[in-house]
Amino acid sequence: MNWNHLRALQFSDLPLDKEDRAILEELAERLQDNYPYHTQEYAGQMIKPPHALAQAAHWMTSFVNPNNHALDGGRATSALELEVIDQLGSMVGYTLCLGHLTSGGTMANLEALWVGRQSTPHATVLASSASHYTHSRMSEVLGMPFKEVPTDAQGRMDTEALEQLLAASEVPPIVVVTLGTTGLGKVDPLADVVALKEKYSFRIHVDAAYGGYFKISQLPKETQRHFEAMPHADSIVIDPHKHGLQPYGCGSILLKDPAEGRFYKHDSPYTYFTSGELHLGEITLECSRPGTAAAALWATMKKFPLAKDGRFAKRLQESLLAAKGLHKRALEQGFWSLDPELDICIFSTKGNSSTEISIQNRAFFERKANEGIHLALLKVQREQWPWDLQWDSEELVVIRSVLMKPEHNDPAFWMRLLD
Ligand SMILES: *Cc1c(COP(=O)(O)O)cnc(C)c1O
């Protein structure tokens, strides 16, 4: 079992009686039924273990149990939240920004689309077919029309197709640009989308829930160019609970123009104003929010400032190197593999038909799981797959590996993974 260490936790500072301890033992037993997310062997979904410092800060703050909805619910953690938002804003290159933490990327994206709709009623949402599936769902929630923009052969938003949609738009639309798609880890051409603003009027929302932190890492020139265009986006979403070493429940939204705070205006009879300062509760869709998330992120960023060439950037670099390394090794071992742009590596066994190869890849995935190495499967379409094969099914099942931990940058691990 991979989670046996949970049984050893003593919680000696807590006033727990015998009955409580017995229940915790039972809980530790129940929690054994999980994949070993915290180990090198887990390279499946986009799951990265929180840093121990983040866990400790989260736990410590839970004794206060602050509510960052309003200053009177959590004074200290509201101040911490403003600090972390300021640092995230500087990282993306905003000079001034309005923003806050959210429960995750989906809520943050919902809010960004909502602000877009408040600024331009009747706007259509344009997002690539590789964007996160929740964009179309959230557009539905907001009652906004949604149109899919096709991707190019690499899985990035096709700017020519986007231009046609922009040319045909009557109301300035909201273009969702994904920096780091969830499936293939591809970076949409943000700089080229920004350039289209010379000819067309539209709003840009950047979904960098997964990829945002790579802003401070060393990327290939072309990828870097798109990350550098981030300050031109009207809104940006980054999930500290994806690459930022945080426990779940930590997303963020950043708005370039603080004046957009006016869209949130509400008069709640329940919220007391304890000062003339900005209320985080005034600029969120969600009401109660855990101040623990701000505390954990603040503590983590004290240790890991968001500096280029800093400790945190070095950790991210390990992930990029891991994906490149695994890709190269996969080619050497006779697999097909797509060149990774961030830290997701896609590979496949070779074969003649899509049905046959999909069966082989599923078998490979199962065999690895039995060996204790956890990968993921991904369905790709013909346009996304550059190699010749007989397409006797709509989709091809390939192997997806997300290398989010520094420990993944290890040739011995790649060999075990591909063996
Ligand atoms: C994970 C992800 C989301 C959704 O974020 P949650 O925190 O899971 O709600 C949105 N967009 C992208 C690109 C993502 O990778």
Side-chain angles (χ1 to χ4, degrees), residues 126-131 148-166 175-178 181 186-190 192-193 196 383:
L126 304 177
S128 96
S129 47
S131 69
E148 213 169 78
V149 187
T151 54
D152 64 14
Q154 270 77 48
R156 305 183 183 101
M157 180 182 272
D158 181 336
T159 41
E160 280 177 27
L162 172 68
E163 182 162 6
Q164 284 174 10
L165 286 165
L166 291 173
V175 179
V176 176
V177 179
T178 308
T181 56
K186 292 293 171 180
V187 175
D188 280 346
L190 177 60
D192 303 336
V193 175
L196 288 171
E383 311 80 67

Side-chain angles (χ1 to χ4, degrees), residues 199-239:
K199 277 168 78 181
Y200 308 95
S201 165
F202 58 96
R203 185 183 173 90
I204 298 177
H205 169 59
V206 165
D207 180 359
Y210 146 66
Y213 284 107
F214 286 109
K215 174 80 168 48
I216 53 167
S217 54
Q218 312 251 341
L219 296 163
K221 264 218 169 80
E222 179 59 12
T223 308
Q224 178 102 15
R225 187 166 77 85
H226 301 304
F227 272 89
E228 272 169 11
M230 283 173 101
H232 298 287
D234 298 285
S235 55
I236 298 175
V237 160
I238 298 174
D239 263 1

Side-chain angles (χ1 to χ4, degrees), residues 250-265:
C250 193
S252 73
I253 174 175
L254 308 168
L255 298 171
K256 181 167 77 172
D257 177 9
E260 290 190 331
R262 70 186 180 280
F263 297 130
Y264 295 85
K265 203 171 170 324

Side-chain angles (χ1 to χ4, degrees), residues 156 184 186 324 327 337-342 344 346 387:
R156 305 183 183 101
L184 302 176
K186 292 293 171 180
K324 282 276 183 218
H327 163 69
S337 175
L338 296 174
D339 193 14
E341 191 162 15
L342 298 176
I344 298 176
I346 309 285
W387 295 279

